[in-house]
Amino acid sequence: MNNFQQFNLAPETIRALEQQSITIPSSIQEQSIGALINGHDVIAKAPTGTGKTFAFALPMLERIRPDGGPIQALVLAPTRELAIQIAKDIESLLRERPELEVSLVYGGQAYNKQIESFKTAQILVATPGRLLDHLQRKNLKLSNCHYAILDEADRMVDMGFIDEVKRILDKLPKERQIGLFSATLSRSVMDISWVYQNQPLEFEVVPEAEDRPQISAFHCIANGPQRVAALRDFCALHELDRGLIFVNMKQSAEIVSRRLQGLGLKAEHLHGGLNQKQRERILKLFRDGKLNFLVATDVAARGLDIDEVELVVNYDLPLENENYVHRIGRTGRAGESGYALTFYTANTEQRLKELLRRTQQSSSEWAWTKAKANLAWLPATEIDEDALKARFERSPKRSKKSSSRAGQRAPRSSGPMRGRKRGQAGRKSKPGKKD
């Protein structure tokens, strides 16, 4: 039996779910769908990867009428990457409903194409900046929009979109329904709820075993360039060849990606210093499976929704506890299993323990160093990030031509196991040198 039938969804929607082999609601879907269908405002706190998109999209489709005019429902997302993913997920539910359309709006696209889509689409998925721009230019009105969702509301606040969000919500009709979905609920997020929602029902979901991301988490003591050697061996041990690596500074992102390229791996970095064209090119390479590793800062990775990430690496311990949950939640998605590897040092061991305790996450020690008897250890302190930044800024600047060439060509490789049997332990790393 398809358990979504309890919500009396349209037969076309049920069939679209079954075509994707989705028959059992996740915890957040179980709680939110009925409340939204019955017209309640909702505040839903749930971790990344627990099915939030379908939790608000399925009730949305029950509220929309093909003859009800354009832009009957709105979904706001903090980044274009997340907006694209949401639109794709909604379209997957419309396979048998060609009379319904989705308009996708974000910065960097041509205005005329977006304006044309406003005329026929019943659903609008947008980033706050570009949508507010259209509203100020009077390219569309939201007077017909009675259903609005703020997805990853905490990220929109963190990224400074709170004023844009408020100005957009002010354009909605008085008779409207608002759903607020977020992994965390800050004071600013709750202020939005207090002003714009009407007696919302609140749900806080701790994923149960059946919908908890299947993540095998490990931590390993290593510092400096030792972490790259340890990462190579971890991938060899677990037969992994694709991962998302998180660092705290954009300089670190560039340095780590270079080190990975030096091992013959296809790697690129993603940080706030890249322009949108560079960012989209790198993300496409990673989504298409043409990169082994993507090295990113938390800011650059906000809103990323990439399937089939086998491994998430905390190369640097996150500065905020909640970022740990956001980071590792990018693997083990859609019923797949995944790995998380976190590096720490003797000086940051207590910080790691506190992080795991506060986020209620479990992790097992991976004793990589015990198998490395001849490993030349760096000083016990972790690389000082200010010193690393100074070193990076002192390094000779590459020409634009050589930098561009390096960004386009990475050494050929079929993954971390190139030239060795899969599952076999890697060669010992050379003694690390101080950064």
Side-chain angles (χ1 to χ4, degrees), residues 15 28 91 100 117 125 128 165 168 192 220 223 236 250-251 262 265 303 321 337 352 372 375 379 424:
R15 287 196 294 271
I28 186 62
E91 287 172 346
L100 298 181
S117 71
V125 181
V165 169
I168 290 169
I192 293 175
C220 171
N223 64 356
K250 67 179 183 180
Q251 292 88 354
L265 303 173
N321 293 335
S337 60
L352 173 65
K372 303 289 178 183
L375 182 69
Q424 188 178 24

Side-chain angles (χ1 to χ4, degrees), residues 308-323:
E308 299 178 0
V309 175
E310 300 176 321
L311 169 68
V312 168
V313 179
N314 293 296
Y315 195 87
D316 297 324
L317 286 179
L319 301 177
E320 302 291 337
N321 293 335
E322 290 167 350
N323 281 348

Side-chain angles (χ1 to χ4, degrees), residues 193-378:
S193 171
W194 188 80
V195 173
Y196 293 98
Q197 290 188 302
N198 179 29
Q199 297 182 328
L201 299 181
E202 298 185 28
F203 304 116
E204 182 172 353
V205 174
V206 177
E208 300 174 358
E210 61 268 19
D211 53 34
R212 182 188 296 274
Q214 299 301 308
I215 303 171
S216 300
F218 296 89
H219 51 276
C220 171
I221 185 167
N223 64 356
Q226 294 170 356
R227 290 172 285 186
V228 173
L231 171 59
R232 178 197 60 193
D233 289 354
F234 186 86
C235 290
L237 178 64
H238 296 284
E239 300 187 357
L240 306 172
D241 62 5
R242 190 164 185 257
L244 184 56
I245 301 173
F246 284 97
V247 296
N248 291 339
M249 300 193 312
K250 67 179 183 180
Q251 292 88 354
S252 301
E254 296 193 21
I255 289 173
V256 173
S257 66
R258 291 179 201 165
R259 287 176 179 159
L260 291 168
Q261 290 171 7
L263 293 177
L265 303 173
K266 298 176 182 177
E268 288 284 0
H269 58 267
L270 195 68
H271 57 63
L274 301 180
N275 61 42
Q276 192 58 42
K277 187 174 181 180
Q278 291 172 316
R279 179 184 175 90
E280 290 179 350
R281 178 186 66 82
I282 292 170
L283 285 174
K284 187 176 189 306
L285 287 173
F286 192 63
R287 282 198 176 96
D288 292 346
K290 296 179 180 179
L291 294 178
N292 297 120
F293 294 102
L294 178 61
V295 189
T297 59
D298 288 298
V299 172
R302 282 174 178 169
L304 289 187
D305 197 348
I306 301 173
D307 294 331
E308 299 178 0
V309 175
E310 300 176 321
L311 169 68
V312 168
V313 179
N314 293 296
Y315 195 87
D316 297 324
L317 286 179
L319 301 177
E320 302 291 337
N321 293 335
E322 290 167 350
N323 281 348
Y324 179 80
V325 178
H326 284 298
R327 288 179 176 187
I328 68 172
R330 287 176 168 83
T331 188
R333 310 193 72 164
E336 300 293 332
S337 60
Y339 288 87
L341 176 63
T342 300
F343 289 114
Y344 72 101
T345 66
N347 278 14
T348 59
E349 183 174 6
Q350 289 303 314
R351 163 68 182 141
L352 173 65
K353 291 180 179 179
E354 177 194 16
L355 185 153
L356 294 174
R357 178 175 60 83
R358 290 186 176 274
T359 58
Q360 300 181 3
Q361 300 291 320
S362 60
S363 180
S364 302
E365 178 76 26
W366 180 51
W368 175 70
T369 56
K370 291 183 179 180
K372 303 289 178 183
N374 297 324
L375 182 69
W377 273 88
L378 299 183

